[in-house]
């Protein structure tokens, strides 16, 4: 993305610093910095969106279900989960990329507060 268009934030590890593994169960939760639109997409080690039986690798800000405070949770796992769920491939490393479009954060990264970013928590393997 060009700096005026937005920014892309990459997660390759969970909140404990462990590499994201498709065989594990994760919960990405929190809020996002102010942006007109955002996407959260899962990528495999080859740099391409993950390929699963459901053929879905992302959520967008216009479709994700949120709570009353505007927080969201997206579950990453092989097995189905209620709510915002993305199926992971059978195995391998994962990357999650959060793209923020038309955001004031893009003008100055010093404006980005780490507390305003979603957290990736591993819940089991």
């Amino acid at each position: 993305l060009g700096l005026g268009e937005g920014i892309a934030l990459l997660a390759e590890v969970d909140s404990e610093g462990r590499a994201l593994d498709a065989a594990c169960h994760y919960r990405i939760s929190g809020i996002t910095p102010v942006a007109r639109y955002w996407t959260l997409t899962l990528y495999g080690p080859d740099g391409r969106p993950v390929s699963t039986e459901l053929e879905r690798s992302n959520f967008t800000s216009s479709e994700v279900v949120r709570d009353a405070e505007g927080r969201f949770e997206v579950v990453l796992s092989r097995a189905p989960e209620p709510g915002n769920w993305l199926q992971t491939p059978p195995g391998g490393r994962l990357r999650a990329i959060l793209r923020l479009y038309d955001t004031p954060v893009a003008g100055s990264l010093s404006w980005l507060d780490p507390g305003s970013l979603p957290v990736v928590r591993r819940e089991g393997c």
Side-chain angles (χ1 to χ4, degrees), residues 20-117:
L20 298 181
D21 183 337
C24 297
H25 181 275
Y26 297 95
R27 188 170 306 270
I28 300 175
S29 62
I31 58 172
T32 61
V34 175
R36 183 179 308 264
Y37 186 79
W38 58 260
T39 61
L40 175 67
T41 307
L42 292 182
Y43 290 87
D46 60 358
R48 296 181 183 186
V50 295
S51 178
T52 66
E53 296 88 346
L54 297 180
E55 298 182 11
R56 179 178 187 133
S57 61
N58 74 312
F59 270 103
T60 68
S61 56
S62 63
E63 64 189 353
V64 72
V65 177
R66 302 169 195 260
D67 67 16
E69 287 84 40
R71 302 176 80 72
F72 70 91
E73 291 185 341
V74 174
V75 174
L76 315 178
S77 68
R78 284 293 298 157
E81 292 275 336
N84 303 314
W85 168 64
L86 289 174
Q87 184 179 40
T88 56
R93 299 275 305 262
L94 290 176
R95 294 178 179 176
I97 297 181
L98 176 65
R99 289 182 177 84
L100 305 169
Y101 297 93
D102 195 13
T103 174
V105 174
S108 171
L109 292 180
S110 64
W111 197 74
L112 183 62
D113 173 16
S116 70
L117 297 175

